[in-house]
Amino acid sequence: MIDWESLRYFAALARSGTLLGAARALGVEHATVARRVAGLEEQMAVKLVDRRGRRIVLTPEGERVAKMAERMEQEAQAVERLGLAAGATVAGEVRISAPPTLAAAILPAALVAVRARHPDICVTIVGETRYASLDRREADVAVRMTKPEQGNFVISKLGEVAFGFYATAAYLAATPEAQRTFIAYDETMASAPQSIRLAEATEGRKVTLRATTLEFQLAAARASGGIAMLPNFMLTGVDDLVEAIPQGQPLTRELWLVVHADIRTVPIIRVVMDALKSVSWSGKPLPTLPQTTA
C-alpha cells in the first residue's frame, strides 16, 4: 500500500516547486522531503520528478499523481475539520494567520486574556507575509488585509487601518521639501495600495531606503532617514514622528476576519474569534502636521 505521508510530502513539493518551499510548508528539513519523495518513487517504480538544480519539474506521471494526492489531501482535511467541529470543549490548539507586524502590535493583549480565561487553549500565531491556507489547515483563523473572493469561508470585517506619511520634526525642519527623500518597501510589495500611494507622493523625489519590513521603515524614519508611509497601529507609544505630508483622504485598508465555514461554530474557534473582534483596530489618530518651512 502506498504510504500516505509520502504522498502528502509529494503534494507539498508539487505545490511549491522546490524542496525548500515544501519543507517550509511542512515544517521539516528539505532532506526529509527529498527522502520521502524518493521513497515514493521507489515504492511506485515510477519517476515523478525531474530535478533541475533547486527547481523541481514534475514528469507526466508526477502531474497525474500530484492531482490525485491533492484530492486525497483535501478529503483528509475535510475529515479533520469534521472531527474538530464535533468537539464541544474549549481546549486545544488554534492557529491564527496574520500579517506579522500587525500581529505583534495588536494581538498579544487579547490573546493573553483569552488564555487567562481558557487555560486549555493553545494559540499559535502564523506571522507570515504570505497567506496561510485555511483549506489545508495551515491556520484555523486568519486576519487579512484583502477580502477573499472565493472559498468556503465565513468573513467578517474587523475594521480599517489608516496609513500616513511620517518623519521626525527635525528632519522636516532641516530638509527643504524638494530634497526630502522616502523610505519604502522593496519591489516585492510594489502592487500594495500603500506602495502605490507613496509612489504618487514622491513627485520625482528619491526613495533612498527600502526594506521588506515595516519595523525597519519605522526605525529609519525615527532616525531622521526620510519620510515613511506607516500604518496607524505602529504609532502607539511613538512620540517622535509627525505627519509629513497631509492627505485629503487618508489611505485606509480594510481588515477581515476569515474562518473556514466547517469550523466556524467550534467552541475554541468561537472564543478566539470573539477575542479578535473585541480588539480596537483603529490605532492612533494621525498626528497633526506641524508648521514647517521649506
Side-chain angles (χ1 to χ4, degrees), residues 17 26 28 47 60 64 80 84 88 94 100 120 122 135 154 156 173 219 224 263 278:
L26 294 166
V28 299
K47 185 175 178 61
R64 290 195 291 271
E80 283 188 12
L84 182 61
V94 179
D120 292 328
C122 175
D135 285 321
V154 175
S156 307
S224 294
I263 61 173
S278 72

Side-chain angles (χ1 to χ4, degrees), residues 243-258:
E243 186 183 24
I245 302 175
Q247 300 180 83
Q249 181 63 44
L251 172 68
T252 60
R253 295 197 63 184
E254 297 172 321
L255 286 174
W256 301 95
L257 181 63
V258 188

Side-chain angles (χ1 to χ4, degrees), residues 41-87:
E41 289 181 314
E42 182 178 355
Q43 188 178 19
M44 295 180 63
V46 172
K47 185 175 178 61
L48 300 175
V49 298
D50 283 327
R51 295 161 178 81
R52 301 178 183 177
R54 295 183 179 180
R55 296 295 303 176
I56 298 294
V57 179
L58 299 184
T59 65
E61 292 78 12
E63 293 279 3
R64 290 195 291 271
V65 172
K67 290 177 181 178
M68 290 185 283
E70 186 74 19
R71 290 195 297 269
M72 293 171 66
E73 190 173 38
Q74 290 170 357
E75 291 298 326
Q77 288 151 1
V79 171
E80 283 188 12
R81 290 193 297 270
L82 180 63
L84 182 61

